[in-house]
Protein backbone atom coordinates (compact mmCIF):
# COMPACT_ATOMS: atom_id res chain seq x y z
CA UNK A 1 0.00 0.00 0.00
CA UNK A 2 2.83 2.37 0.84
CA UNK A 3 4.57 1.55 -2.47
CA UNK A 4 1.37 2.34 -4.39
CA UNK A 5 0.94 5.63 -2.53
CA UNK A 6 4.57 6.51 -3.26
CA UNK A 7 4.09 5.74 -6.96
CA UNK A 8 0.99 7.98 -7.15
CA UNK A 9 2.76 10.74 -5.19
CA UNK A 10 5.83 10.64 -7.48
CA UNK A 11 3.54 10.99 -10.51
CA UNK A 12 1.60 13.93 -9.03
CA UNK A 13 4.76 15.74 -7.90
CA UNK A 14 6.32 15.22 -11.32
CA UNK A 15 3.30 16.87 -12.95
CA UNK A 16 3.64 19.81 -10.55
CA UNK A 17 7.37 20.08 -11.39
CA UNK A 18 6.39 20.31 -15.06
CA UNK A 19 3.95 23.14 -14.23
CA UNK A 20 6.73 24.94 -12.34
CA UNK A 21 8.98 24.58 -15.38
CA UNK A 22 6.22 26.09 -17.54
CA UNK A 23 6.03 29.12 -15.26
CA UNK A 24 9.82 29.31 -15.16
CA UNK A 25 9.96 29.45 -18.94
CA UNK A 26 7.04 31.77 -19.72
CA UNK A 27 6.89 33.96 -16.62
CA UNK A 28 6.23 37.54 -17.74
CA UNK A 29 8.26 39.02 -14.89
CA UNK A 30 11.54 38.18 -13.21
CA UNK A 31 9.72 37.65 -9.92
CA UNK A 32 7.58 34.92 -11.46
CA UNK A 33 10.73 33.07 -12.39
CA UNK A 34 12.19 33.50 -8.90
CA UNK A 35 8.94 32.20 -7.36
CA UNK A 36 8.95 29.26 -9.78
CA UNK A 37 12.54 28.41 -8.77
CA UNK A 38 11.60 28.53 -5.07
CA UNK A 39 8.61 26.24 -5.64
CA UNK A 40 10.78 23.95 -7.76
CA UNK A 41 13.20 23.52 -4.86
CA UNK A 42 10.32 22.67 -2.49
CA UNK A 43 8.92 20.15 -4.99
CA UNK A 44 12.36 18.58 -5.28
CA UNK A 45 12.45 18.18 -1.48
CA UNK A 46 9.05 16.48 -1.59
CA UNK A 47 10.23 14.13 -4.34
CA UNK A 48 13.36 13.24 -2.37
CA UNK A 49 11.33 12.50 0.78
CA UNK A 50 8.86 10.29 -1.10
CA UNK A 51 11.66 8.38 -2.83
CA UNK A 52 13.37 7.97 0.56
CA UNK A 53 10.22 6.31 1.94
CA UNK A 54 9.82 4.22 -1.19
CA UNK A 55 13.38 2.88 -1.27
CA UNK A 56 13.34 2.43 2.52
CA UNK A 57 16.51 4.42 3.19
CA UNK A 58 17.22 7.45 5.33
CA UNK A 59 20.28 8.35 3.26
CA UNK A 60 18.54 11.07 1.27
CA UNK A 61 17.51 13.45 4.04
CA UNK A 62 20.80 15.30 4.04
CA UNK A 63 20.25 15.97 0.35
CA UNK A 64 16.78 17.32 1.13
CA UNK A 65 18.21 19.59 3.83
CA UNK A 66 20.82 20.86 1.36
CA UNK A 67 18.07 21.59 -1.20
CA UNK A 68 16.12 23.54 1.44
CA UNK A 69 19.14 25.67 2.37
CA UNK A 70 20.26 26.36 -1.20
CA UNK A 71 16.73 27.13 -2.40
CA UNK A 72 16.11 29.66 0.35
CA UNK A 73 19.52 31.31 -0.06
CA UNK A 74 19.16 31.63 -3.84
CA UNK A 75 15.69 33.17 -3.50
CA UNK A 76 16.87 35.71 -0.95
CA UNK A 77 20.00 36.52 -2.98
CA UNK A 78 17.99 37.12 -6.17
CA UNK A 79 15.49 39.35 -4.32
CA UNK A 80 18.30 41.26 -2.61
CA UNK A 81 19.92 41.86 -5.98
CA UNK A 82 16.63 43.19 -7.37
CA UNK A 83 16.05 45.37 -4.32
CA UNK A 84 19.50 46.89 -3.86
CA UNK A 85 21.41 46.21 -7.08
CA UNK A 86 23.98 44.30 -5.08
CA UNK A 87 24.00 41.08 -3.07
CA UNK A 88 26.66 41.79 -0.45
CA UNK A 89 27.08 45.47 0.34
CA UNK B 1 -1.69 -2.39 14.00
CA UNK B 2 0.78 -2.50 11.13
CA UNK B 3 -2.07 -2.17 8.66
CA UNK B 4 -3.36 0.92 10.45
CA UNK B 5 0.12 2.45 10.39
CA UNK B 6 0.45 1.73 6.68
CA UNK B 7 -2.94 3.33 6.04
CA UNK B 8 -1.93 6.43 8.01
CA UNK B 9 1.42 6.81 6.22
CA UNK B 10 -0.13 6.26 2.79
CA UNK B 11 -2.89 8.80 3.36
CA UNK B 12 -0.38 11.38 4.63
CA UNK B 13 1.80 10.85 1.53
CA UNK B 14 -1.21 11.31 -0.76
CA UNK B 15 -2.36 14.44 1.13
CA UNK B 16 1.13 15.96 0.85
CA UNK B 17 1.38 15.24 -2.87
CA UNK B 18 -2.09 16.75 -3.40
CA UNK B 19 -1.15 20.00 -1.66
CA UNK B 20 2.12 20.26 -3.61
CA UNK B 21 0.04 19.84 -6.76
CA UNK B 22 -2.41 22.55 -5.63
CA UNK B 23 0.46 25.00 -5.05
CA UNK B 24 1.98 24.42 -8.47
CA UNK B 25 -1.41 24.56 -10.18
CA UNK B 26 -2.07 27.94 -8.55
CA UNK B 27 1.34 29.11 -9.77
CA UNK B 28 0.27 28.36 -13.33
CA UNK B 29 -3.40 29.37 -13.07
CA UNK B 30 -3.47 32.70 -11.25
CA UNK B 31 -3.04 36.00 -13.06
CA UNK B 32 -0.82 38.40 -11.10
CA UNK B 33 2.46 38.21 -9.21
CA UNK B 34 0.83 39.06 -5.89
CA UNK B 35 -1.91 36.48 -6.49
CA UNK B 36 0.60 33.89 -7.62
CA UNK B 37 2.55 34.45 -4.42
CA UNK B 38 -0.28 32.96 -2.34
CA UNK B 39 -0.49 29.51 -3.88
CA UNK B 40 3.07 28.15 -3.63
CA UNK B 41 4.12 29.72 -0.37
CA UNK B 42 1.15 28.49 1.70
CA UNK B 43 -0.10 25.31 0.10
CA UNK B 44 3.37 23.98 -0.65
CA UNK B 45 4.46 24.47 2.94
CA UNK B 46 1.46 22.44 4.13
CA UNK B 47 2.15 19.68 1.62
CA UNK B 48 5.81 19.37 2.51
CA UNK B 49 4.91 19.28 6.22
CA UNK B 50 2.52 16.41 5.59
CA UNK B 51 5.15 14.49 3.62
CA UNK B 52 7.74 14.95 6.38
CA UNK B 53 5.25 13.78 9.05
CA UNK B 54 4.58 10.71 6.88
CA UNK B 55 8.31 10.01 6.67
CA UNK B 56 8.76 10.38 10.44
CA UNK B 57 5.81 8.05 11.14
CA UNK B 58 7.08 5.51 8.61
CA UNK B 59 10.56 5.26 10.08
CA UNK B 60 9.31 5.36 13.69
CA UNK B 61 6.35 2.96 13.49
CA UNK B 62 7.20 0.50 10.73
CA UNK B 63 10.99 0.41 10.71
CA UNK B 64 11.81 1.01 14.40
CA UNK B 65 14.43 3.56 13.40
CA UNK B 66 13.11 6.96 14.52
CA UNK B 67 15.05 9.89 13.12
CA UNK B 68 14.95 13.64 13.66
CA UNK B 69 16.28 14.74 10.25
CA UNK B 70 12.76 15.42 9.01
CA UNK B 71 12.10 17.67 11.97
CA UNK B 72 15.15 19.78 11.04
CA UNK B 73 13.95 20.07 7.44
CA UNK B 74 10.40 21.02 8.45
CA UNK B 75 11.54 23.63 10.99
CA UNK B 76 13.91 25.14 8.41
CA UNK B 77 11.21 25.27 5.71
CA UNK B 78 8.57 26.66 8.06
CA UNK B 79 10.97 29.41 9.11
CA UNK B 80 12.25 30.35 5.67
CA UNK B 81 9.18 30.15 3.40
CA UNK B 82 7.52 33.35 4.79
CA UNK B 83 10.83 35.23 4.53
CA UNK B 84 11.20 34.29 0.86
CA UNK B 85 7.61 35.36 0.14
CA UNK B 86 8.19 38.65 1.98
CA UNK B 87 11.34 39.38 -0.05
CA UNK B 88 9.53 38.64 -3.33
CA UNK B 89 6.63 40.95 -2.41
CA UNK B 90 9.06 43.74 -1.42
CA UNK B 91 10.87 43.45 -4.74
CA UNK B 92 7.52 43.52 -6.56
CA UNK B 93 6.45 46.73 -4.79
CA UNK B 94 9.80 48.33 -5.57
CA UNK B 95 9.63 47.42 -9.26
CA UNK B 96 5.98 48.34 -9.91
CA UNK B 97 5.45 52.11 -10.24
CA UNK B 98 1.66 51.93 -10.70
CA UNK B 99 1.29 49.90 -7.51
CA UNK B 100 3.27 52.48 -5.52
CA UNK B 101 0.68 55.17 -6.36
CA UNK B 102 -2.11 53.06 -4.82
CA UNK B 103 -0.43 52.46 -1.48
CA UNK B 104 -1.99 54.25 1.49
CA UNK B 105 0.17 56.56 3.58
CA UNK B 106 1.71 54.66 6.49
CA UNK B 107 1.18 55.95 10.02
CA UNK B 108 4.13 57.44 11.84
CA UNK B 109 7.29 59.04 10.49
CA UNK B 110 8.64 56.12 8.53
CA UNK B 111 7.69 55.47 4.95
CA UNK B 112 7.15 52.14 3.28
CA UNK B 113 10.12 49.90 3.93
CA UNK B 114 11.30 49.53 0.36
CA UNK B 115 10.36 53.01 -0.81
CA UNK B 116 11.60 55.37 1.89
CA UNK B 117 14.67 57.12 0.44
CA UNK B 118 16.29 57.67 3.81
CA UNK B 119 14.58 55.66 6.49
CA UNK B 120 14.78 56.03 10.22
CA UNK B 121 17.56 53.46 10.39
CA UNK B 122 19.83 55.44 8.10
CA UNK B 123 18.85 58.87 9.39
CA UNK B 124 19.74 57.96 12.95
CA UNK B 125 23.49 57.81 13.54
CA UNK B 126 24.69 54.45 14.74
CA UNK B 127 27.36 55.85 17.03
CA UNK B 128 27.20 58.93 19.25
CA UNK B 129 29.15 61.89 17.94
CA UNK B 130 32.72 62.14 19.13
CA UNK B 131 33.34 65.00 21.53
CA UNK B 132 35.88 67.56 20.30
CA UNK B 133 39.36 67.12 21.72
Amino acid sequence: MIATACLVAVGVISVSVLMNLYRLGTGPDVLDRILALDTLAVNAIGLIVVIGIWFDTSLYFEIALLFAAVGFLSTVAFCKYLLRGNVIE
Amino acid sequence: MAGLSELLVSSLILIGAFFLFVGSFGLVKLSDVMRRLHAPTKSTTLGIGSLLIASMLYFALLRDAPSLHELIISVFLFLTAPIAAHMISKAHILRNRALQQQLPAPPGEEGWATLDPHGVDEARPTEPAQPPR
Side-chain angles (χ1 to χ4, degrees):
Chain A
M1 185 159 55
I2 288 180
T4 311
C6 287
L7 185 63
V8 174
V10 165
V12 170
I13 297 173
S14 302
V15 172
S16 60
V17 164
L18 285 180
M19 288 196 289
N20 287 330
L21 286 178
Y22 169 74
R23 181 54 73 193
L24 186 66
T26 68
D29 198 11
V30 189
L31 293 167
D32 290 320
R33 296 169 201 256
I34 295 174
L35 188 59
L37 263 184
D38 193 33
T39 316
L40 199 60
V42 175
N43 276 326
I45 296 167
L47 209 55
I48 289 168
V49 169
V50 170
I51 287 176
I53 296 175
W54 196 4
F55 291 169
D56 198 7
T57 172
S58 62
L59 189 64
Y60 292 153
F61 291 119
E62 283 82 6
I63 308 173
L65 190 59
L66 205 62
F67 261 86
V70 172
F72 170 66
L73 281 183
S74 63
T75 305
V76 170
F78 272 128
C79 289
K80 187 76 185 299
Y81 177 69
L82 287 177
L83 280 171
R84 305 287 291 179
N86 205 351
V87 177
I88 299 172
E89 300 178 32
Chain B
M1 188 59 198
L4 193 63
S5 302
E6 282 194 6
L7 186 65
L8 188 62
V9 170
S10 304
S11 56
L12 277 174
I13 288 171
L14 289 180
I15 288 170
F18 172 72
F19 276 105
L20 284 179
F21 180 78
V22 166
S24 300
F25 184 70
L27 184 68
V28 171
K29 178 72 175 170
L30 295 175
S31 63
D32 192 10
V33 177
M34 282 299 196
R35 289 183 184 125
R36 266 180 222 131
L37 201 56
H38 283 285
T41 54
K42 296 179 179 62
S43 167
T44 304
T45 309
L46 183 60
I48 206 80
S50 176
L51 282 180
L52 291 167
I53 289 172
S55 177
M56 287 179 74
L57 285 178
Y58 176 74
F59 283 107
L61 293 178
L62 294 173
R63 286 292 170 268
D64 286 333
S67 64
L68 290 179
H69 297 265
E70 295 92 345
L71 203 60
I72 299 173
I73 299 172
S74 60
V75 165
F76 189 81
L77 276 177
F78 277 47
L79 281 179
T80 55
I83 301 174
H86 182 70
M87 292 292 284
I88 289 174
S89 62
K90 275 176 77 173
H92 180 250
I93 288 177
L94 183 73
R95 286 165 56 84
N96 197 344
R97 191 61 61 91
L99 183 63
Q100 294 175 13
Q101 308 296 327
Q102 301 172 2
L103 290 174
E109 296 178 354
E110 310 174 31
W112 286 88
T114 49
L115 303 178
D116 206 4
H118 38 78
V120 174
D121 292 339
E122 297 176 9
R124 182 179 302 152
T126 55
E127 295 176 356
Q130 294 287 331
R133 301 187 174 180

